[in-house]
Amino acid sequence: MLFGGLGNEDGNPAMVYHARTESEVEGDPLYNPNRHAMLMQIRYDMNKRPIFAI
């Protein structure tokens, strides 16, 4: 289980992360609070390796 069972109703794992949606960050990026929580389903290739791509 990933993160204590985080996933969809079929048991497929998911990953929660935070990211910015804009391509340019104004000022110091460490002090720019404009990040959003994202959720991504983790898929696997035929060798059972995770694919972290959208």
Side-chain angles (χ1 to χ4, degrees), residues 9-51:
E9 60 274 358
D10 295 326
N12 298 316
M15 178 175 67
V16 177
Y17 63 99
H18 64 258
R20 292 183 173 90
T21 57
E22 68 265 5
S23 59
E24 297 288 327
V25 178
E26 293 184 25
D28 188 340
L30 291 176
Y31 296 103
N32 181 329
N34 194 18
R35 293 181 287 183
H36 305 280
M38 310 279 186
L39 181 65
M40 180 175 74
Q41 181 178 346
I42 299 174
R43 301 186 189 282
Y44 296 90
D45 66 13
M46 294 188 69
N47 296 317
K48 298 184 179 181
R49 293 181 294 201
I51 301 171

